[in-house]
Amino acid sequence: MIALRRWALVAAVLLGAAPAVAAPGGSLLYPEPPRANVVDTYWGTPVPDPYRPLENADAPQTRSWLQAEAVVTRRYLDALPHRAAIRAAFERFQTGSSSETPLEQHGQFWSMSRRAAGKRNVVFVRDGALQPDRPLLDANELPPNVTIAYVDWSRSGRLLAYATETNGSDWLTWHVRDVATATDRPDVVRWGKYVDVAFSGDDGFYYSGYDAPRADGTAAGF
């Protein structure tokens, strides 16, 4: 861990000292984001929101801007003189697998592990301290654009709630998995954001929820 921190410090210094792909004045040439003349009024106070169009991540203008941003980033990173050396140094410290310390939850033991380099995490559970691990939730089985953001257990340990994010969005979709069978129940809760859930026994859970977005992809409020 200490060695990795040292390499992270070295990498940060080298990246900060590297030449940037810049405009004549010395600053990076960023693409102009889409804007709109949007003003919301809250309790008599007008609040401009010129970047409202970016809330629609699937809009053509948003995707075009993201692609242009990616080009700027790629050019900057590719110009770093020590990039290959930094990558090689990190790869020497990266093992083929990793695992968190198992945690006891309601008489069961679970951990988050990555069994092979380049693979995504798997939640393993064991039904007793001396029982073998078995996979409960494998992120590698999800589509490439879907990630697991949160996991939480019911009080009995019979249920696991997990939230997924799609395409890097803040929106959470909650699923409920039966721990004994490692299969999802039909329960799906959409349009959560930012926070974990709090189970109420095995009957349900409390969560932070919003209204579904408007048809144009922008937020509709709480």
Side-chain angles (χ1 to χ4, degrees):
M1 181 63 70
I2 295 176
L4 285 176
R5 289 176 180 171
R6 289 175 178 171
W7 275 112
L9 178 60
V10 172
V13 172
L14 293 176
L15 293 177
V21 178
S27 60
L28 288 171
L29 289 170
Y30 292 106
E32 284 294 322
R35 292 184 175 89
N37 186 22
V38 178
V39 179
D40 294 322
T41 301
Y42 299 101
W43 297 281
T45 301
V47 180
D49 188 6
Y51 299 105
R52 181 73 60 82
L54 290 175
E55 293 185 11
N56 186 356
D58 296 321
Q61 58 182 348
T62 302
R63 299 186 68 86
S64 177
W65 176 75
L66 289 172
Q67 291 170 1
E69 283 278 308
V71 170
V72 173
T73 302
R74 188 75 269 158
R75 287 176 178 170
Y76 176 85
L77 293 176
D78 289 344
L80 298 175
H82 305 290
R83 179 175 174 81
I86 294 172
R87 177 173 181 173
F90 274 112
E91 288 179 346
R92 286 199 299 271
F93 285 100
Q94 184 183 30
T95 60
S97 63
S98 65
S99 180
E100 295 180 359
T101 302
L103 298 177
E104 191 270 340
Q105 295 277 4
H106 316 294
Q108 293 174 314
F109 296 80
W110 72 281
S111 67
M112 186 85 74
S113 302
R114 187 183 70 242
R115 296 305 199 202
K119 295 294 185 180
R120 302 166 80 181
N121 287 335
V122 180
V123 176
F124 289 90
V125 65
R126 62 179 68 173
D127 301 312
L130 301 180
Q131 297 297 315
D133 289 341
R134 60 181 176 88
L136 176 61
L137 179 61
D138 188 348
N140 298 286
E141 297 177 353
L142 299 175
N145 63 329
V146 177
T147 58
I148 297 174
Y150 298 97
V151 295
D152 203 353
W153 298 80
S154 68
R155 293 186 179 182
S156 69
R158 293 199 300 265
L159 301 175
L160 176 75
Y162 68 96
T164 58
E165 296 173 332
T166 303
N167 293 327
S169 171
D170 292 330
W171 291 116
L172 300 176
T173 300
W174 285 96
H175 311 265
V176 179
R177 178 153 294 204
D178 188 287
V179 174
T181 62
T183 57
D184 282 354
R185 293 191 170 190
D187 313 73
V188 175
V189 178
R190 303 184 188 277
W191 314 123
K193 268 194 178 185
Y194 305 130
V195 296
D196 211 340
V197 299
F199 266 96
S200 175
D202 284 335
D203 298 325
F205 52 75
Y206 299 96
Y207 66 98
S208 173
Y210 292 69
D211 292 337
R214 301 184 184 94
D216 63 1
T218 58
F222 288 93

